[in-house]
Amino acid sequence: MASVPSKHPETSSLPSSWDGQTLANAIPDPLIIVDPHDRVRFVNHAAESFFQLGANIIQGQGLNEIIPFDSPMMALVGQVRGSSSSVSEYGLILDGPRTRPQNVDIQISSILDDPGYIIITLRQRGIASKIDHQLIHRGAARSVTSMASVLAHEIKNPLSGIRGAAQLIETNLDSDGKSLTRLICEETDRICALVDRMEVFSDPRPLERHPVNVHQVLEHAMKVAENGFAKHVSFKEKYDPSIPSVPGDRDQLIQVFINLIKNAAEAVPAQGGEILLTTAYRHGVRVAMPGTRERMNLPLEICIIDNGSGIAEDLRQYLFDPFVTTKSGGTGLGLALVAKIIGDHGGIIECESEPRRTIFRIMLPIYSGPDKTTGE
Ligand SMILES: Nc1ncnc2c1ncn2[C@@H]1O[C@H](COP(=O)(O)OP(=O)(O)OP(=O)(O)O)[C@@H](O)[C@H]1O
Ligand SMILES: [Mg+2]
């Protein structure tokens, strides 16, 4: 295995047992060194996990065996080799024979002492994009919040008057007239139910956080689904039984998973529909909290995965906005509510989708400390 040469070992203040390879392996981003014949000479641990291949397999292969020949990255390598400069490219979609397309920033430079050698570093954009998205979702939830309180006053009160009046005149009408007053009542009920659903957004009470067992929440939501709207679906679970509790509101979290499972159940085919629920503990997922210098660990990952037809690319960026729906009877409030509750819990939600595999991934903090009540 080729190692990155250490230029001044005798003057280095680092421990003498450390070599370039040790340092390269400590870098959390994938790093690849390519020789003048475009053969991979070194990959660090992060690159092994990025390509889902061991170093002993990748090293010695042509770069085009791990990166498709027509990938823009190949052209960038050629550009650097021709000019001995370095290039950065942001937001490139990289896929390989064994990996799914991933959004990355790439930096390519030549090694000064030996310009035929090229060093490539990749940075996965996942977490940065998640933070951006989460901030957008919070904004969306806030706009529903103010609208919800207006609606409650300006629509619900007059509606109850209209409904009451319809019931009063009903007593003097024949059957044709009665069917019309019944229509008025049904429609006012439907609008009231919609406003009720939005009222959750305007609830000013701070979130009461208690330790909540995520598996119990998932099981509860699944039971509701299996006995109601998801009778046609087969559920699978892949839980990490050792994950700790999350600080949160159990009922609100149940609401989150019922909404996500309902969407999944509505997306899967009538025959062979499957929903997989997974939980896992992930180290090293830290995000900046908006408006503060605080950073928060979000190590708890919960995924709802379905084998439905997927979500169209152009819909994905608006998915968590209120009133975005593709269903004839949908309100488009389900995911807006989910995003609000997860945001209130200090977590993040994101979506990945391809045909037959749509993933809603939630990352949450873990509970550490005695029962307490905290607001935002
Ligand atoms: N798992 C999924 N698979 C495919 N599309 C999805 C999935 N989840 C959400 N969607 C899409 O996102 C849209 C918004 O979902 P959301 O839950 O906010 O509203 P809705 O389901 O349409 O309405 P409601 O939740 O009021 O019934 C849906 O109409 C659907 O097009
Ligand atoms: Mg929904």
Side-chain angles (χ1 to χ4, degrees), residues 30-277:
L31 181 149
I32 308 154
I33 295 178
V34 179
D35 73 11
H37 308 290
D38 276 348
R39 278 199 178 281
V40 178
R41 293 292 288 269
F42 175 80
V43 285
N44 70 351
H45 290 337
E48 285 179 86
S49 84
F50 182 88
F51 291 108
Q52 294 172 21
L53 283 172
N56 53 351
I57 296 177
I58 305 179
Q59 286 165 180
Q61 285 197 7
L63 186 60
N64 59 359
E65 288 169 85
I66 55 167
I67 306 283
F69 181 70
D70 56 355
S71 164
M73 181 166 144
M74 299 301 280
L76 292 172
V77 169
Q79 188 183 328
V80 169
R81 189 161 276 130
S83 65
S84 298
S85 59
S86 75
V87 294
S88 302
E89 184 87 11
Y90 296 95
L92 208 79
I93 302 295
L94 199 65
D95 60 348
R98 287 174 57 96
T99 53
R100 288 193 289 128
Q102 303 195 59
N103 191 356
V104 292
D105 294 340
I106 297 187
Q107 172 120 37
I108 305 178
S109 33
S110 53
I111 294 176
L112 282 182
D113 288 352
D114 204 333
Y117 282 77
I118 302 284
I119 183 159
I120 304 168
T121 46
L122 309 176
R123 169 156 290 178
Q124 285 162 281
R125 287 173 68 93
I127 298 297
S129 314
K130 277 166 206 160
I131 296 166
D132 286 356
H133 283 145
Q134 188 60 23
L135 295 177
I136 292 164
H137 306 159
R138 284 186 186 175
R142 263 197 301 276
S143 65
V144 188
T145 302
S146 40
M147 196 196 284
S149 29
V150 173
L151 284 182
H153 286 99
E154 302 304 320
I155 292 188
K156 248 177 107 176
N157 295 342
L159 273 182
S160 63
I162 294 171
R163 196 182 196 287
Q167 279 174 319
L168 273 178
I169 52 175
E170 194 176 76
T171 45
N172 302 322
L173 293 176
D174 58 12
S175 66
D176 277 357
K178 278 191 173 124
S179 73
L180 289 176
T181 50
R182 225 159 292 139
L183 185 68
I184 296 174
C185 289
E186 279 166 19
E187 287 300 287
T188 49
D189 287 349
R190 197 176 59 78
I191 300 171
C192 276
L194 174 64
V195 176
D196 278 344
R197 209 163 165 217
M198 290 181 65
E199 255 173 343
V200 188
F201 287 95
S202 63
D203 189 346
R205 282 171 301 174
L207 180 69
E208 289 205 9
R209 295 177 207 221
H210 300 286
V212 178
N213 179 320
V214 169
H215 293 140
Q216 282 175 5
V217 165
L218 286 172
E219 289 303 301
H220 186 104
M222 201 171 80
K223 207 170 285 165
V224 171
E226 274 176 332
N227 289 297
F229 54 81
K231 287 199 177 93
H232 61 296
V233 178
S234 113
F235 282 89
K236 294 206 168 94
E237 294 140 64
K238 212 166 100 194
Y239 293 160
D240 173 351
S242 66
I243 57 166
S245 301
V246 297
D249 179 310
R250 182 173 180 275
D251 291 342
Q252 287 195 9
L253 290 172
I254 287 175
Q255 220 181 337
V256 163
F257 293 110
I258 287 180
N259 269 295
L260 292 175
I261 294 174
K262 185 162 182 284
N263 281 345
E266 286 164 351
V268 297
Q271 303 282 324
E274 268 178 28
I275 299 177
L276 169 65
L277 309 177

Side-chain angles (χ1 to χ4, degrees), residues 284-300:
V285 180
R286 278 163 66 83
V287 296
M289 296 313 287
T292 71
R293 296 175 68 108
E294 221 183 306
R295 295 179 73 77
M296 196 142 176
N297 274 314
L298 301 178
L300 219 145

